[in-house]
Amino acid sequence: MPPHILVFATHNPNKAREVAQILGPRFSVLTLTDIGCLEEIEESAQTLEGNALLKARYVKEKYGYDCFSEDTGLEVEALNGAPGVHTARYAGEGRNTADNMELLLLNLDGLNNRKAQFRTVIALIANGQETLIEGICAGEIALEKSGVNGFGYDPIFIPKNHQQTFAMLGDEIKNSISHRAIATLKLMDALK
Ligand code: IMP
């Protein structure tokens, strides 16, 4: 049987390769670039679920492929779930990850409750059906940045049952417990 073509609504080939490895040879995972979708897909929803669905529906409607998309947010308990859907632009448009982390540490200054979670939502549209999938990694926000691995907020996120940040733990440990890893395994189950 030929592989089931599945578009991952991302321009990031590294993300696509990672998922393709997990899904195995029954699936051929293409990126937006692979299908000639070079435009930015709007992410104007107020929830991770909404944004994931916006992107997956856009690809299905405009290009016809079965597809999935992913949206991730960092949700901090003492900040009522912020930055959440605004995680990428927490410190404002045009600011970088260092600015985002600095603002988050500032907003938690003096607070004892530093509980947080990374939450990944995958919207899958395949075989005529829409499915929402969630992966959560619980933990807490460190008092200061440490570690050099990973990306984004990794230097200030300490996953539950660990004493070090994702950026100190390194990719191998992170990829075995992360929100994205959990969501991707559930995606594989949903595609069986
Ligand atoms: P995206 O949905 O992958 O674009 O991620 C949204 C925001 O969450 C960006 O600011 C990322 O840097 C951050 N983010 C997503 N996944 C992770 C992670 O595994 N570690 C740290 N930051 C992340």
Side-chain angles (χ1 to χ4, degrees):
M1 235 184 18
H4 182 160
I5 294 177
L6 210 48
V7 173
F8 185 178
T10 177
H11 287 291
N12 186 332
N14 298 315
K15 278 190 177 179
R17 203 174 312 121
E18 207 176 282
V19 176
Q21 273 169 6
I22 294 176
L23 295 184
R26 280 204 302 126
F27 296 90
S28 171
V29 178
L30 304 179
T31 65
L32 292 175
T33 318
D34 293 332
I35 62 165
C37 172
L38 303 178
E39 61 270 26
E40 269 311 311
I41 305 176
E42 218 184 312
E43 295 187 41
S44 52
Q46 288 309 304
T47 60
L48 298 175
E49 286 80 0
N51 277 337
L53 279 170
L54 270 182
K55 286 185 279 184
R57 285 177 183 156
Y58 183 94
V59 171
K60 183 69 194 174
E61 279 159 24
K62 187 149 180 212
Y63 295 88
Y65 291 103
D66 278 356
C67 66
F68 62 93
S69 73
E70 171 210 278
D71 210 27
T72 297
L74 177 59
E75 300 174 333
V76 180
E77 191 172 274
L79 302 177
N80 298 318
V85 72
H86 305 294
T87 298
R89 296 168 298 277
Y90 189 41
E93 218 54 65
R95 309 300 289 277
N96 59 26
T97 303
D99 298 326
N100 288 339
M101 283 190 286
E102 203 174 306
L103 179 62
L104 186 56
L105 290 177
L106 188 69
N107 287 342
L108 286 179
D109 197 24
L111 297 183
N112 287 325
N113 178 7
R114 304 186 72 89
K115 279 189 199 153
Q117 63 180 24
F118 271 114
R119 194 162 71 89
T120 292
V121 172
I122 293 178
L124 168 68
I125 302 181
N127 307 317
Q129 211 178 317
E130 283 186 358
T131 312
L132 282 172
I133 293 159
E134 181 182 72
I136 288 178
C137 182
E140 60 182 63
I141 302 299
L143 292 170
E144 58 184 18
K145 288 197 269 183
S146 49
V148 295
N149 299 295
F151 68 98
Y153 292 75
D154 282 348
I156 60 168
F157 183 79
I158 302 173
K160 203 169 170 181
N161 301 323
H162 290 266
Q163 276 72 49
Q164 296 178 313
T165 63
F166 264 159
M168 294 169 83
L169 290 168
D171 285 350
E172 201 177 330
I173 294 178
K174 180 184 171 188
N175 292 338
S176 68
I177 58 172
S178 83
H179 41 296
R180 215 174 348 269
I182 293 166
T184 307
L185 289 175
K186 288 188 186 173
L187 171 68
M188 189 170 66
D189 268 356
L191 285 165
K192 265 185 188 157

